[in-house]
């Protein structure tokens, strides 16, 4: 996080199964007793964390199993700071008796999280689902969780399973990180793993690799998009420290990331999985070479540009001015130089840390002077055929254009003259860096 940036609030919604099966004996108590233990330990740990709000939603606790109530879900303790005791008290009171409407509860949780304030960074909205069973109703929890993510309501979800059967584990993979306590003795390990993700910040180093696999590339902007969801979370300019090594940053390990390095063209990393409390390194091939565009023997003042494409593609990746240098990722490129007429260069290769210079003859200026309305154009010959490169304005005016050196044909007639025989043809030559006035 940048110096001086505000710390986002962490909001944790406990979504707890209170269905009939939670009364089953497990170890020395019941599964609901285990859920109370999980909540108590997490709440006690989180009570020491600043800028944190918690809430509790229960499901399966208001209707009996035989009622098959697929809307049996309610927010019992709303979000606020310092409400750990209220959450633990509500967990003590609850008596399991219904079914398991997980999807409905997830959908309802969208209303539980408060909106972020305009002057505050986006909150870290987290759901911790504690359950011993799968969905009871004809709804899809995967759809509901994806909806929460797409609306930027939810950052991440964790599922703590209580003695879940192995064949049910796959049903929760779409929801979030799944931790199953096969036996009651596993609870402490499960709680620790979940809290480690929720509370930790971790160190990340991004190495931008040259063609030799060395981390020498730098000074590129990097955007970090949190997964799942794809929302922008961080934006940094890459630097090398005093030892010539990639600088490190702190990132939130609660998310995986897609990393976009804004070279020309950009390079996108594979999914970067960030481990809590570890020194994480992401290596991205980003070798670059330099293209210098210039005009021969003349500093041409007219703004001349080139469209840069991938070799064999017609998708523009950059527009570069002449008499400038620009770095691109190594490889082959095509250029369309916006002269009159256009010039096309195919397969120009850029190599690592090498300046490739491409120069063209300096265009010349041609001014067409006409004091009456006319229809006309400038043509060049190509393979025995005429090709129009510029249309004159019909209005009486002086027009100045830049043309590549060579011989041209000017064809025109007065607009008010309705005879095609009034068409006139004139030839003229443009010299590199020269100027020419043509009176019509």
């Amino acid at each position: 996080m940048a110096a001086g940036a505000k710390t986002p609030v962490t909001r944790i919604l406990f979504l707890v199964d209170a269905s009939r099966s939670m009364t089953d004996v497990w170890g020395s108590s019941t599964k609901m007793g285990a859920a109370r233990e999980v909540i108590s330990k997490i709440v006690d740990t989180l009570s020491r964390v600043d800028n944190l709000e918690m809430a509790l939603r229960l499901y399966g606790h208001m209707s009996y199993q035989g009622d098959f109530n697929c809307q049996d879900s309610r927010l019992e303790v709303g979000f606020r700071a310092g409400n750990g005791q209220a959450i633990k008290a509500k967990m003590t009171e609850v008596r399991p008796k219904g079914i398991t409407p997980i999807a409905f509860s997830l959908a309802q949780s969208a209303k539980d999280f408060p909106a972020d304030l305009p002057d505050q960074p986006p909150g870290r909205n987290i759901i911790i689902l504690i359950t011993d069973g799968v969905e009871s109703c004809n709804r899809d929890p995967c759809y509901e969780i994806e909806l929460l993510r797409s609306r930027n309501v939810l950052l991440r979800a964790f599922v703590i399973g209580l003695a879940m059967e192995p064949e049910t584990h796959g049903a929760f993979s779409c929801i979030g990180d799944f931790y199953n306590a096969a036996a009651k003795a596993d609870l402490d390990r499960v709680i620790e793993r979940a809290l480690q993700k929720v509370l930790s910040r971790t160190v990340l180093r991004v190495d931008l690799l040259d063609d030799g696999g060395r981390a020498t590339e730098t000074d590129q902007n990097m955007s970090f998009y949190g997964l799942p969801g794809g929302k922008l979370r961080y934006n940094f300019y890459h630097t090398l420290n005093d030892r010539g090594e990639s600088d490190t940053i702190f990132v939130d390990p609660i998310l995986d990331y897609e990393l976009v390095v804004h070279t020309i063209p950009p390079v996108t990393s594979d999914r970067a999985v960030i481990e809590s409390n570890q020194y994480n390194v992401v290596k991205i091939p980003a070798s670059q070479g330099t293209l210098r565009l210039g005009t021969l023997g003349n500093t041409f003042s007219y703004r001349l540009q080139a469209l840069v494409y991938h070799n064999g593609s017609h998708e523009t990746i950059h527009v570069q001015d002449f008499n400038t240098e620009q770095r691109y990722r190594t490889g082959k490129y095509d250029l369309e130089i916006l002269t009159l007429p256009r010039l096309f260069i195919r397969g120009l290769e850029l190599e690592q840390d090498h300046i490739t210079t491409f120069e063209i003859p300096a265009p010349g200026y041609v001014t067409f002077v006409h004091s009456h309305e006319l229809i006309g154009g400038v043509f060049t010959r190509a393979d025995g055929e005429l090709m129009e490169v510029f249309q004159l304005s019909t209005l009486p005016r002086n027009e100045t254009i830049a043309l590549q050196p060579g011989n041209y044909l000017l064809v025109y007639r007065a607009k008010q003259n309705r005879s095609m025989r009034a068409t006139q043809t004139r030839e003229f030559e443009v010299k590199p860096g020269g100027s020419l006035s043509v009176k019509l």
Side-chain angles (χ1 to χ4, degrees):
M1 183 175 297
K6 297 179 179 178
T7 303
V9 61
T10 296
R11 303 187 188 100
I12 298 178
L13 174 65
F14 296 105
L15 182 55
V16 182
D17 186 345
S19 63
R20 179 68 179 82
S21 61
M22 292 289 283
T23 61
D24 291 350
V25 175
W26 193 41
S28 58
S29 63
T30 63
K31 291 180 179 178
M32 178 52 73
R36 293 185 181 111
E37 182 180 338
V38 170
I39 292 290
S40 180
K41 288 184 176 181
I42 294 178
V43 165
D44 288 346
T45 301
L46 294 178
S47 66
R48 301 187 293 271
V49 176
D50 294 330
N51 213 17
L52 176 82
E53 298 176 359
M54 295 181 291
L56 172 67
R57 173 176 283 273
L58 298 169
Y59 62 80
H61 63 305
M62 296 185 294
S63 301
Y64 287 100
Q65 193 174 45
D67 297 332
F68 207 79
N69 183 0
C70 286
Q71 296 184 357
D72 186 354
S73 178
R74 187 166 66 194
L75 179 69
E76 296 292 353
V77 180
F79 277 104
R80 66 177 185 274
N83 61 355
Q85 292 304 315
I87 290 173
K88 290 197 290 185
K90 179 55 67 174
M91 286 296 299
T92 301
E93 296 172 6
V94 65
R95 296 294 178 263
K97 55 185 178 181
I99 59 172
T100 312
I102 297 175
F104 176 78
S105 299
L106 289 171
Q108 293 300 299
S109 70
K111 299 179 291 187
D112 299 342
F113 290 98
D116 294 317
L117 297 175
D119 60 339
Q120 298 295 321
R124 300 173 72 244
N125 292 349
I126 298 165
I127 288 177
I128 297 180
L129 169 62
I130 302 172
T131 185
D132 75 330
V134 295
E135 173 70 30
S136 295
C137 303
N138 190 26
R139 291 183 65 165
D140 183 4
C142 296
Y143 172 80
E144 299 298 344
I145 204 79
E146 188 58 36
L147 204 58
L148 291 174
R149 290 172 182 145
S150 66
R151 293 174 177 173
N152 291 319
V153 173
L154 182 67
L155 187 63
R156 194 151 189 156
F158 298 88
V159 182
I160 296 178
L162 305 180
M164 301 282 287
E165 297 297 332
E167 60 269 19
T168 67
H169 294 184
F172 295 97
S173 61
C174 64
I175 294 178
D177 295 32
F178 179 70
Y179 306 111
N180 185 52
K184 196 166 184 294
D186 297 329
L187 276 181
D188 285 344
R189 173 186 56 82
V190 166
I191 293 170
E192 181 181 357
R193 289 181 63 191
L195 283 175
Q196 191 177 58
K197 271 283 190 180
V198 171
L199 298 179
S200 298
R201 284 199 310 167
T202 197
V203 175
L204 173 66
R205 189 185 84 213
V206 179
D207 286 345
L208 303 183
L209 306 180
D210 60 23
D211 280 340
R214 302 177 298 269
T216 62
E217 295 288 354
T218 190
D219 295 336
Q220 298 296 324
N221 183 260
M222 304 182 300
S223 297
F224 293 74
Y225 296 90
L227 298 175
K231 187 175 182 180
L232 179 66
R233 291 291 166 181
Y234 305 101
N235 206 39
F236 298 100
Y237 263 96
H238 187 276
T239 59
L240 298 178
N241 61 25
D242 294 338
R243 299 184 300 276
E245 300 170 345
S246 300
D247 193 24
T248 56
I249 53 175
F250 288 103
V251 296
D252 191 342
I254 200 171
L255 293 171
D256 299 336
Y257 295 93
E258 179 183 76
L259 175 56
V260 177
V261 182
H262 295 282
T263 52
I264 301 177
V267 57
T268 301
S269 72
D270 295 329
R271 187 185 191 108
V273 179
I274 307 300
E275 297 294 337
S276 302
N277 298 322
Q278 293 188 23
Y279 189 89
N280 294 266
V281 179
V282 174
K283 297 180 180 293
I284 300 178
S287 59
Q288 296 176 87
T290 300
L291 174 61
R292 176 191 292 154
L293 298 179
T295 52
L296 288 166
N298 187 282
T299 304
F300 186 59
S301 60
Y302 183 83
R303 187 183 184 190
L304 182 60
Q305 296 177 308
L307 305 180
V308 182
Y309 310 108
H310 273 302
N311 184 221
S313 168
H314 294 289
E315 181 181 355
T316 303
I317 61 172
H318 192 60
V319 180
Q320 182 173 342
D321 288 333
F322 267 70
N323 300 313
T324 66
E325 294 182 357
Q326 179 63 57
R327 286 173 64 78
Y328 298 86
R329 287 169 56 195
T330 54
K332 291 185 177 181
Y333 295 90
D334 297 340
L335 305 182
E336 181 179 353
I337 301 172
L338 303 181
T339 55
L340 291 174
R342 298 287 176 95
L343 295 179
F344 295 90
I345 309 301
R346 313 290 186 190
L348 190 67
E349 186 163 9
L350 303 185
E351 300 175 353
Q352 171 77 44
D353 290 334
H354 177 73
I355 298 176
T356 299
T357 299
F358 183 80
E359 296 178 316
I360 63 171
Y365 290 109
V366 181
T367 300
F368 299 99
V369 181
H370 51 100
S371 58
H372 55 278
E373 292 186 340
L374 54 78
I375 297 174
V378 177
F379 295 80
T380 185
R381 291 183 175 89
D383 298 326
E385 297 183 359
L386 289 183
M387 180 181 70
E388 186 177 61
V389 297
F390 182 73
Q391 284 189 353
L392 294 172
S393 170
T394 59
L395 300 175
R397 54 187 283 188
N398 292 352
E399 295 181 89
T400 300
I401 62 172
L403 289 172
Q404 277 291 290
N407 295 311
Y408 294 90
L409 204 63
L410 177 62
V411 183
Y412 66 99
R413 69 166 172 81
K415 185 176 181 180
Q416 66 270 23
N417 195 322
R418 298 302 179 181
S419 172
M420 287 192 294
R421 291 190 298 275
T423 300
Q424 299 185 51
T425 301
R426 294 173 59 178
E427 293 190 14
F428 62 94
E429 182 183 2
V430 176
K431 296 183 178 181
S435 62
L436 178 66
S437 179
V438 180
K439 294 183 179 180
L440 309 178

